Each structure stands twice: as structure tokens, then as C-alpha cells.
Amino acid sequence: MKQRAPFIDTLLGLTALTGLIALYAPLLAATVLSFFQIVRVRGKLGFAPFSLEPYTALLTNGEILSALGTSLIVAVVASFASLVLALMFAFYFVSARRGLGTLMQVMVFLPFLLPPIITGLSLLIAFREAEFARGLATIIIGHIVFIVPVVYRTVLVRLQLLGGSLTEASLDLGASHVQTLFHVILPQMRPALISGVLLAFAISFDETLITLFVAGSETTLPIRLWAMMRVGFVPEINALATLILLFTAAITFAIGLIQRGQAERA
């Protein structure tokens, strides 16, 4: 077997290292600057002593807390509504005729595959034609349309892996379809359901472009952060970015643990 030259391995390693630095250096900079602010001392730039003042100012900012509350409400409602819809679509796909199931999948995935600006603009036009006032409800609907495909794919893969033998065995033993669903199928799909909801929550919490079209007078946390940056960077922005980073990392870690446990049991 022909081995690669050491030069190629070194070049690939340096390329990977450069990519990692480009990805994580801005995140690290925001985290450091949330604790050590840059100050000018005697004409020279330096770092101020360690301080939690940006976090204190952030937690006492009523506008940010209000936007955070809106984002949490939208993310929770949209995630669980998407889970219900994804389950309905997944059960329909495994039982429907091939042509109808494929058509349904195209309709489910299309809003996610389109550029967010097109999806947001389409929703804006639909709400305007229906004379539906923009607000919290339209944000939730917009997020549901966007994140249903993510949950649907996660749920469908697990449902297809289960096959039909569990359902047939449960029905043969005298259980009804409802009992089979709640006592046999859904417990077996629990890891996929949890990971799908967590992933949908993270995407919804971070969604900005579609929200801009359908928010109206409501403000979510990403929109509030964008508005704050328009008037210049303040220490609270670094603190907010750090907290969002930690929150997203925690969700990602939880999803990884759930999928790892699911793979070990498979």
C-alpha cells in the first residue's frame, strides 16, 4: 500500500488547524472580552482587571430580558408543535403510498431548503393577504415552518429503524392502536424525540432572518442583539454572546449524549 508523503500530512494538519482557529478565535475573543474589557492607558491599549460588570449590566437590562423571554416562549412552543407535526408526517410517510409520501416530504422540506429570506418573505405576504397581524403568533408559525423538517427527519429515521414488527406484535397481543402508540412505539423513539426537540429549540432560539419578516413589534433575543450592534459594541454584547455560546454548547452536548446512548442500545 502506497503511503502518503509526510509533507502532505503536515499540510493537511496545518489546514485543519487554520480552519479551527478561524472558527473558534472570534468566539474565544468575545468570551475573554466579556471578562476583561479593553481600555486605553497612557495612550496604549490594554486590558482592564477581571470584572463581571458586563454580566451584571446584562441581567439588569429590561429590554434584553424581555427579548430573552420572547425567544424562550417562541422556541419552546415551536419545538413541541414541530414535534407533534413531525410525528404525524412520519407516521403518514411510512404508511402512505410511495408517490403521496414523496410529495409530502417535498412539501415538508421545501421551506427549510429555500433561502430563509424567501421563506420569510413568503410568510410575510401570506400573513398580509390573510390580514393576520404580525406578532408573537406569526413568529411561532414562521419558526414551526422552518424547523419541522429538522425534527421530521430525526423522527422518521428512528421510526423506520423500528420497522413494523413491534406494532404487529403489540396488536396480536390484544393492544389497541392507541395503546401501541403510547406504550410501545413512542417509548422506543424517546431518544430521537428528545434530540429532535433540543435541536429544534436551538435552531428556533437562534433564528433571525425569518423572524425579521414576521415579528412586527415583537423582539426576540437575536433581533435585539443585532439592534444593539448597530449602535456600536458595548460590553453587554460580549457577555450576551458568551452566554448564548454556553447555552448552545450545552444543548449540543446533550444531543450528542442522547445519540451516543441510542447508538449503543441499537
Side-chain angles (χ1 to χ4, degrees):
M1 182 177 179
K2 188 176 181 180
Q3 296 182 346
R4 291 183 303 188
F7 170 76
I8 296 179
D9 290 335
T10 302
L11 181 61
L12 292 175
L14 290 175
T15 303
L17 179 61
T18 302
L20 289 174
I21 293 175
L23 286 173
Y24 291 102
L27 302 177
L28 179 62
T31 302
V32 171
L33 292 177
S34 69
F35 297 105
F36 302 93
Q37 300 181 44
I38 296 179
V39 295
R40 184 178 295 274
V41 180
R42 297 178 182 178
K44 296 182 179 180
L45 295 178
F47 288 99
F50 176 85
S51 174
L52 293 176
E53 183 178 349
Y55 292 90
T56 304
L58 178 66
L59 296 177
T60 56
N61 190 315
E63 294 181 347
I64 291 179
L65 294 180
S66 176
L68 174 61
T70 301
S71 289
L72 290 175
I73 292 173
V74 170
V76 170
V77 175
S79 298
F80 283 98
S82 298
L83 176 62
V84 174
L85 291 174
L87 280 170
M88 294 171 61
F89 292 145
F91 282 118
Y92 176 79
F93 179 79
V94 297
S95 61
R97 289 184 295 178
R98 187 175 185 85
L100 293 176
T102 302
L103 177 61
M104 185 272 296
Q105 283 208 121
V106 171
M107 296 176 64
V108 170
F109 283 118
L110 188 59
F112 186 80
L113 297 176
L114 289 172
I117 190 172
I118 301 300
T119 302
L121 183 60
S122 301
L123 289 169
L124 174 61
I125 295 173
F127 291 139
R128 186 189 63 184
E129 294 299 323
E131 297 183 354
F132 198 95
R134 289 182 295 164
L136 188 62
T138 56
I139 298 176
I140 292 174
I141 294 173
H143 284 211
I144 291 174
V145 170
F146 187 67
I147 64 179
V148 159
V150 178
V151 189
Y152 167 74
R153 187 58 187 171
T154 305
V155 169
L156 179 62
V157 170
R158 182 58 180 169
L159 185 60
Q160 289 177 326
L161 288 175
L162 290 179
S165 57
L166 286 176
T167 302
E168 294 173 358
S170 177
L171 295 176
D172 288 341
L173 292 173
S176 65
H177 287 280
V178 175
Q179 290 174 326
T180 300
L181 174 64
F182 286 99
H183 296 287
V184 178
I185 302 301
L186 293 183
Q188 292 294 324
M189 296 178 62
R190 186 180 294 113
L193 301 180
I194 296 175
S195 60
V197 166
L198 290 177
L199 184 58
F201 183 92
I203 296 175
S204 175
F205 189 82
D206 184 58
E207 170 54 40
T208 304
L209 192 53
I210 293 177
T211 309
L212 283 172
F213 283 94
V214 299
S217 60
E218 294 288 342
T219 302
T220 61
L221 190 59
I223 294 179
R224 181 59 190 164
L225 177 60
W226 176 75
M228 290 171 63
M229 293 192 310
R230 292 180 62 188
V231 297
F233 282 89
V234 293
E236 291 92 324
I237 291 182
N238 293 322
L240 180 58
T242 302
L243 293 176
I244 293 176
L245 172 63
L246 293 175
F247 179 70
T248 306
I251 291 180
T252 305
F253 183 71
I255 294 174
L257 289 179
I258 292 172
Q259 292 180 342
R260 179 181 178 182
Q262 181 179 349
E264 290 177 351
R265 289 190 296 268

